[in-house]
Amino acid sequence: MRLPMFMLIAARALARAFRTLVLPLALTGTAAALAQPADPADPQTGLVFSPCADAPWLDCGALEVPLSYAADGRTVKLAVARLRAADPSRRIGVLFVHPGGHESGVAFLRDVVPLIPRFLEVGERFDVVSLDPRGTGRSNPLHCDFDLLPPPKAEDDATQIAYFDDYGRRVAAQCLDRDPAFVRSITGNNFARDIETLRAALHEDQLSFAMASNSGPVAAVYATLFPKRVRAMILDSPVGPEHRDYWIDRRIEQGGSYERTLQRVDQLCQRIPDCPLVDVGVRNAFDQIAARLEANPLPLPGGGVFTAEDFASTFFFLMPREQAWAPTVNALAGALDGDLSPFIGIFQLGGEGDDGVVARLCNDYGTRRDAADYLPITEAAGTEHPRFFDRQFLRFDAAMCASWPPADPPIIRNAKLAVPALTFHSEFDSDAPFAWSQRLGQAMGNDRHIVRYQGGGHGVIDREQPCIADAVDAYIFDLELPKEGLACPAEVAPPSASLESLASRPSVALEGPVRPGRR
């Protein structure tokens, strides 16, 4: 299955070059810490660290965890990585980080954290650790090898119901037939429990957290189940406290957020006299280009065509990145003149990935309904935000988990933390509406401590802006909360930036579409 390009953090070639040429120089300040011998194995989990083969500045290990925390028996091994504190004499403890989605935490720690000055500053006084959740990266990655039929051309109810019911059954069967017990164990609740197993193996009394996007609910589960083990918890642009049968509603809410973000880009363009789309308008330019491609898909040199749907899908990469807004406007102006190469380049960033995210989404809260039940709401909702989440999009999203076994939604209740969690969120976050942070805070009993960034983008805490940096530092180092209602002003990248230069910049994992079997 092709991993959607919007879930990649950087092109593989750039990552390899960075690991080989740049990081060994950038991390020489940690040489003393890295020179330490491997830790003795933890007797319960077998965890022992040694230098990572492909990143010797990191420690790597394998953590043994129960397949089921409700019963003794089978275990599974999870890949773990650690970047030791650069200044051991001032070490505070362990900071667990994860970028969201159902991404590899090891790859994030290896490829992305060293690119973010904010994380390196925190890494002076913390061991920064992460793991690959079950079913992804190096933790028994799940590959469902989907064999799914194309959608029918006929639009009558009977044909559509039959197709999407069959589609859902195929997705479930082709994932679950590999190892049903393991696939069913890929949940946000088990992710949180696996973090607790890691804490115990590290012999730490408490953990600090920096959890982004779809890992926000995982952090909330951990705070609910293990509140005394939390020293500090930063939630960056989290998704909401999901529940059973939430998938359709979630996408409808995201559709509104994407439209609102595109509208904001349009408004910013109208305020700049030399904006190349000041007369045409950003949304109008988008619509014109999509209409052209709908009528005449663009042939690609290597075969295949670039379609209107492909063009729209690049915005799942672009809109969540505020620094991409200005160059996106420039690229749209060029596309009106016939140059679609920037969007084709973004689209072609995709690569092969695993299907752990499918299992995670379905096990946590995917819809369990027959097509006859959910097609009417997808039909109506698909007309609300058709640029990005049309009816066909919503149909496939709903069908993905419809035949899956019962969900195991995240356990999130009033978390009695000694120091309340601190959340950061953008007002114009296309991937995760600001209201999701408010709802997660309410579910945790803590909706008062949300730092609001007045700009856009999915992910806030990696910014160098003083307002944000000061709030992060005071909290993570000294456990001091900012004043309630803190709002940090927006900062937008200059129009001279290019899409090509932005495609390799680090980011939290994005929460865009997941389509089983789509290549």
Side-chain angles (χ1 to χ4, degrees):
M1 174 185 174
R2 175 182 170 182
L3 180 69
M5 49 78 195
F6 42 78
M7 296 191 66
L8 292 178
I9 296 170
R12 287 190 176 93
L14 284 172
R16 284 196 298 270
F18 186 82
R19 293 198 299 271
T20 304
L21 301 176
V22 181
L23 279 184
L25 298 175
L27 299 177
T28 51
T30 65
L34 295 175
Q36 298 178 29
D39 296 340
D42 178 78
Q44 298 297 320
T45 65
L47 178 62
V48 58
F49 283 110
S50 59
C52 302
D54 59 348
W57 57 88
L58 286 179
D59 295 333
C60 281
L63 178 75
E64 191 170 8
V65 301
L67 178 70
S68 169
Y69 283 90
D72 294 332
R74 180 180 165 188
T75 61
V76 294
K77 288 188 176 180
L78 307 181
V80 179
R82 174 181 65 184
L83 180 63
R84 298 197 194 201
D87 188 352
S89 65
R90 300 171 63 230
R91 179 183 181 274
I92 293 174
V94 170
L95 176 70
F96 185 90
V97 301
H98 194 266
H102 196 68
E103 298 294 289
S104 164
V106 172
F108 179 70
L109 196 56
R110 180 192 65 206
D111 300 338
V112 178
V113 165
L115 288 169
I116 304 175
R118 301 293 307 134
F119 272 112
L120 291 180
E121 291 167 15
V122 171
E124 292 284 320
R125 302 185 64 188
F126 286 89
D127 290 349
V128 184
V129 302
S130 194
L131 57 77
D132 287 355
R134 304 176 187 214
T136 198
R138 302 178 186 180
S139 296
N140 192 14
L142 176 64
H143 295 283
C144 299
D145 296 330
F146 290 111
D147 180 18
L148 304 170
L149 300 177
K153 294 182 179 180
E155 283 288 333
D156 62 278
D157 289 347
T159 300
Q160 292 293 315
I161 289 170
Y163 171 77
F164 282 105
D165 280 340
D166 177 73
Y167 179 91
R169 287 191 293 268
R170 286 173 180 262
V171 170
Q174 291 168 23
C175 262
L176 291 163
D177 67 357
R178 302 284 164 166
D179 184 345
F182 175 71
V183 174
R184 292 286 290 130
S185 80
I186 302 173
T187 68
N189 289 331
N190 277 339
F191 189 177
R193 296 179 182 113
D194 292 341
I195 296 172
E196 171 59 10
T197 301
L198 175 60
R199 180 206 61 77
L202 294 172
H203 306 289
E204 295 285 334
D205 289 336
Q206 292 184 313
L207 296 175
S208 297
F209 289 85
M211 303 286 274
S213 196
N214 200 41
S215 292
V218 174
V221 172
Y222 189 94
T224 298
L225 299 180
F226 313 106
K228 295 182 180 180
R229 299 302 185 182
V230 177
R231 173 189 170 271
M233 181 171 284
I234 290 177
L235 305 177
D236 189 358
S237 311
V239 303
E242 319 300 13
H243 49 81
R244 288 180 178 87
D245 198 23
Y246 178 67
W247 197 231
I248 296 173
D249 305 270
R250 170 170 167 165
R251 289 309 194 201
I252 293 172
E253 292 171 1
Q254 275 188 307
S257 189
Y258 266 89
E259 290 290 350
R260 187 161 51 251
T261 301
L262 190 64
Q263 167 75 359
R264 181 56 177 164
V265 176
D266 204 342
Q267 290 172 341
L268 292 173
C269 176
Q270 296 302 315
R271 296 179 181 182
I272 303 173
D274 59 351
C275 174
L277 295 177
V278 69
D279 294 324
V280 177
V282 173
R283 291 183 299 167
N284 188 39
F286 179 102
D287 293 342
Q288 288 186 38
I289 296 163
R292 291 179 191 175
L293 289 170
E294 186 68 35
N296 298 291
L298 181 67
L300 296 173
V305 293
F306 186 66
T307 68
E309 183 182 3
D310 298 334
F311 166 69
S313 75
T314 65
F315 282 71
F316 293 121
F317 179 95
L318 298 169
M319 289 296 95
R321 291 170 164 84
E322 186 183 42
Q323 70 270 30
W325 290 1
T328 295
V329 172
N330 294 336
L332 284 169
L336 284 176
D337 293 331
D339 180 14
L340 283 160
S341 59
F343 297 103
I344 294 172
I346 293 293
F347 178 76
Q348 292 177 336
L349 283 176
E352 295 300 317
D354 57 59
D355 297 311
V357 64
V358 175
R360 166 79 181 282
L361 295 175
C362 289
N363 287 331
D364 276 5
Y365 44 74
T367 294
R368 307 297 196 273
R369 306 191 212 174
D370 294 334
D373 187 335
Y374 64 72
L375 285 180
I377 185 62
T378 59
E379 178 81 14
T383 64
E384 294 179 17
H385 312 296
R387 287 190 180 96
F388 304 109
F389 296 85
D390 62 16
R391 63 177 185 173
Q392 189 76 334
F393 183 107
L394 295 177
R395 287 168 174 173
F396 276 106
D397 246 27
M400 181 174 70
C401 305
S403 295
W404 211 264
D408 179 24
I411 303 168
I412 301 174
R413 296 188 295 272
N414 191 354
K416 296 179 173 60
L417 302 180
V419 178
L422 179 61
T423 302
F424 293 79
H425 211 127
S426 301
E427 288 185 326
F428 298 98
D429 182 342
S430 56
D431 258 10
F434 185 83
W436 287 2
S437 273
Q438 295 171 314
R439 294 213 303 261
L440 185 62
Q442 289 168 350
M444 295 176 68
N446 174 42
D447 59 345
R448 296 163 51 197
H449 303 292
I450 301 176
V451 176
R452 179 167 49 91
Y453 174 60
Q454 294 174 308
H458 188 53
V460 174
I461 65 172
D462 61 339
R463 298 173 186 269
E464 291 298 307
Q465 188 202 57
C467 175
I468 295 168
D470 291 348
V472 170
D473 288 351
Y475 180 77
I476 202 67
F477 292 131
D478 302 319
L479 303 180
E480 295 180 0
L481 290 160
K483 66 178 182 180
E484 289 186 31
L486 177 64
C488 295
E491 294 181 345
V492 180
S496 58
S498 68
L499 291 187
E500 291 80 2
S501 70
L502 294 169
S504 62
R505 294 190 183 185
S507 170
V508 302
L510 305 184
E511 303 304 331
V514 176
R515 180 74 62 81
R518 181 161 182 201
R519 297 181 182 277

